[in-house]
């Protein structure tokens, strides 16, 4: 489908050690060069519904679109999921059902990341790790004000309090980050079930030293060794 494709990836999710169901969803669409992680909230049969609905909506994007149309289709699919989740929550009596989303799309030596919530996109380049997203969370304002690091924010008692999610609120604002890619770049998309246990230094070390074939297992094992209190999802994409 895409003779210009120059990416390899691995995508894995794990229920963790404390939860009975996995409310994370992961989606890989290599034919579109789109990868996505969604972390649902709302409890049994709600969070997993929300995250899966986002993945299913994005999976319906038609093939053959040019890069700009693909990006708009990705954004539109997330907005469609937002309205569908809101409708489902209303039909269940009005409780909160929602999900984070972090999606990465590649085209022509460029990337675009779209996100809402606290699932993250990182890039490792020349041994240096960079968080490309900014959490929509109660503690993010402290980080952005220079009062703490993201690593410190991950350990804050309020770290789970997100301020934006697909399916929550009338209008959904989706943030965007874009930039260039070079051969050797390695991207990570993950849920907070990983980042609660993996500092920037740990991520830089693992992403910088582990082959694609085993990097997903190693990342998930770090979270399990740390306690595995949440569902854990990690997608790693290499630019060849």
């Amino acid at each position: 489908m895409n003779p210009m494709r120059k990416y390899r990836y691995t995508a894995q999710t794990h229920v963790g050690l404390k939860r009975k169901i996995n409310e994370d969803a992961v989606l890989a669409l290599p034919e579109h060069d789109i990868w996505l992680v969604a972390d649902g909230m709302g409890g049994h049969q709600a969070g997993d519904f929300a995250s899966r609905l986002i993945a299913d909506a994005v999976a319906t994007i038609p093939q053959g679109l040019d890069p700009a149309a693909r990006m708009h289709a990705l954004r539109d699919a997330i907005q469609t999921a937002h309205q569908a989740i809101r409708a489902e929550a209303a039909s269940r009596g009005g409780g909160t059902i929602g999900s984070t989303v972090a999606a990465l799309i590649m085209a022509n030596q460029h990337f675009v990341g779209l996100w809402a919530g606290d699932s993250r996109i990182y890039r490792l380049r020349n041994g240096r790790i960079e968080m490309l997203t900014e959490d929509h969370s109660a503690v993010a304002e402290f980080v952005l004000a220079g009062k703490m690091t993201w690593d410190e924010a991950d350990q804050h008692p309020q770290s789970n309090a997100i301020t934006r999610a697909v399916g929550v609120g009338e209008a959904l604002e989706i943030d965007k980050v874009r930039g260039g890619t070079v051969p050797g770049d390695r991207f990570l998309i993950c849920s907070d079930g990983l980042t609660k246990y993996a500092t920037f230094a740990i991520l830089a070390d693992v992403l910088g030293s582990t082959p694609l074939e085993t990097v997903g297992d190693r990342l998930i094992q770090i979270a399990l060794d740390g306690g595995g209190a949440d569902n854990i999802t990690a997608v790693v994409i290499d630019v060849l």
Side-chain angles (χ1 to χ4, degrees):
M1 172 63 194
N2 181 5
M4 297 296 290
R5 188 184 306 133
K6 297 178 180 178
Y7 313 104
R8 295 175 67 223
Y9 73 93
T10 182
Q12 291 176 243
T13 187
H14 193 288
V15 70
L17 301 176
K18 309 286 186 173
R19 304 288 180 90
K20 291 187 175 177
I21 62 169
N22 194 343
E23 294 185 310
D24 285 2
V26 61
L27 178 69
L29 294 176
E31 68 274 18
H32 293 309
D33 294 328
I34 292 174
W35 297 267
L36 175 148
V37 168
D39 179 357
M41 52 187 248
H44 181 59
Q45 292 186 326
D48 55 328
F49 165 83
S51 61
R52 177 46 51 193
L53 198 152
I54 294 169
D56 288 348
V58 172
T60 66
I61 292 175
Q63 294 196 21
L65 300 177
D66 64 50
R70 244 185 310 144
M71 188 192 72
H72 289 301
L74 174 60
R75 184 184 287 274
D76 289 347
I78 296 169
Q79 291 287 0
T80 297
H82 174 70
Q83 296 301 335
I85 295 166
R86 278 171 50 82
E88 178 67 16
S91 76
R92 295 188 185 193
T96 297
I97 302 176
S99 176
T100 71
V101 66
L104 186 70
I105 182 169
M106 305 279 208
N108 304 329
Q109 292 81 55
H110 287 83
F111 75 87
V112 173
L114 300 177
W115 83 98
D118 63 356
S119 293
R120 294 177 178 176
I121 304 173
Y122 297 83
R123 178 178 61 192
L124 184 78
R125 175 180 285 179
N126 298 325
R128 178 177 174 268
I129 190 135
E130 180 182 5
M131 185 171 138
L132 300 175
T133 54
E134 292 177 351
D135 294 354
H136 301 129
S137 69
V139 295
E141 60 188 76
F142 298 126
V143 181
L144 300 178
K147 296 180 179 177
M148 65 175 68
T149 66
W150 287 114
D151 284 344
E152 291 167 339
D154 287 330
Q155 305 308 316
H156 192 279
Q158 297 279 266
S159 63
N160 284 330
I162 62 173
T163 56
R164 195 183 305 180
V166 184
V168 178
E170 190 163 331
L172 172 66
E173 184 181 354
I174 303 171
D175 278 0
K176 179 173 75 172
V177 60
R178 63 195 312 162
T181 63
V182 298
D185 280 353
R186 173 169 273 191
F187 289 84
L188 168 67
I189 316 170
C190 62
S191 62
D192 67 340
L194 172 62
T195 51
K196 288 281 187 295
Y197 304 103
T199 62
F200 277 60
I202 289 171
L203 290 176
D205 176 60
V206 172
L207 293 172
S209 64
T210 312
L212 188 69
E213 289 74 16
T214 56
V215 70
D217 288 334
R218 191 166 170 204
L219 289 169
I220 286 174
Q221 193 60 50
I222 287 168
L224 294 174
D225 290 345
D230 201 351
N231 310 138
I232 312 151
T233 302
V235 182
V236 178
I237 305 107
D238 285 349
V239 180
L240 303 180

